[in-house]
Amino acid sequence: TVQRSVAYGGRSFDIALTSLADGSMACLVPVAAEEAAAPEPVRVPVANEGDIEAVIDALDRPVAVFDASQHLVRANRAYAKFWDLEANYLKPGTSEQAMLDRLRTKGHLPAEVDYRAWRTEHLKSYGLTAPRETLWHLPDGRAVNVSAMPVSAGGVIYVFHDLTEPLALETRYNAPNQVQNETPNPPT
């Protein structure tokens, strides 16, 4: 949902908000020059051009932003750490397909029988009109919720949330109840 327009660094942006399973996320979406000629946007004071990058980097959750041509715009430190990627590899302009292929080679993506079909399905994120959440089960035992949020310019923002521990706790909590429900009652 677009909430309002803002000016930042001499350009106009819409603030796009979306709900996630455990909160919400906002992003700035560039407005085309012809659309920007509309009403004067609300001015948001910023110290410098690096403010948005600093906010993304400060997040604990892994975040990656890709443009409409499926190339990396920005990834935070948490993303690099989460996927065990070298910071110099996460340069703007790296294609998401190349990044997925590298993650697969390193054994970091779900083990799929038909990887190409899985990758093609994942890359359909660029055609989304609403946020999508997908659960990935990784070879190292992690369960990861992948939130894909489309932006009006055709790109995608991905937010990754490691659900391994919460799912393990839920399983441990539910296991005794499941065993009790499946155990026949002794005759009286």
Side-chain angles (χ1 to χ4, degrees):
T1 311
V2 174
Q3 294 295 314
R4 64 182 179 153
S5 295
V6 297
Y8 174 76
R11 295 183 60 201
S12 294
F13 296 86
D14 286 337
I15 299 176
L17 297 175
T18 189
S19 296
L20 301 173
D22 59 347
S24 60
M25 177 173 51
C27 71
L28 296 179
V29 181
V31 176
E34 59 273 5
E35 294 176 33
E40 182 66 25
V42 175
R43 300 264 173 215
V44 175
V46 290
N48 61 52
E49 291 288 328
D51 285 349
I52 293 175
E53 288 81 5
V55 169
I56 290 173
D57 248 356
L59 297 173
D60 290 337
R61 292 234 174 115
V63 176
V65 181
F66 291 86
D67 63 19
S69 64
Q70 302 182 7
H71 289 91
L72 183 67
V73 173
R74 181 83 179 129
N76 65 3
R77 282 179 243 153
Y79 182 88
K81 183 178 178 183
F82 187 80
W83 293 115
D84 189 29
L85 291 168
E86 306 77 28
N88 63 350
Y89 180 76
L90 293 174
K91 293 180 279 197
T94 303
S95 80
E96 185 178 7
Q97 181 172 328
M99 195 173 295
L100 290 170
D101 292 347
R102 182 167 181 154
L103 290 172
R104 179 177 183 250
T105 300
K106 293 178 86 167
H108 294 331
L109 291 181
E112 296 289 330
V113 174
D114 188 349
Y115 167 72
R116 288 178 191 237
W118 177 88
R119 183 183 65 197
T120 298
E121 185 63 30
H122 171 74
L123 292 174
K124 287 182 181 177
S125 298
Y126 293 90
L128 293 175
T129 57
R132 174 183 72 189
E133 293 190 13
T134 309
L135 185 62
W136 290 0
H137 295 279
L138 305 182
D140 64 4
R142 292 184 292 174
V144 178
N145 183 55
V146 181
S147 299
M149 187 181 101
V151 292
S152 63
V156 178
I157 298 172
Y158 294 107
V159 179
F160 299 83
H161 184 197
D162 189 343
L163 296 176
T164 308
E165 187 60 28
L167 289 176
L169 288 171
E170 183 179 346
T171 300
R172 285 195 297 267
Y173 175 79
N174 290 335
N177 292 334
Q178 194 172 15
V179 169
Q180 184 177 8
N181 291 340
E182 292 176 5
T183 305
N185 291 327
T188 55

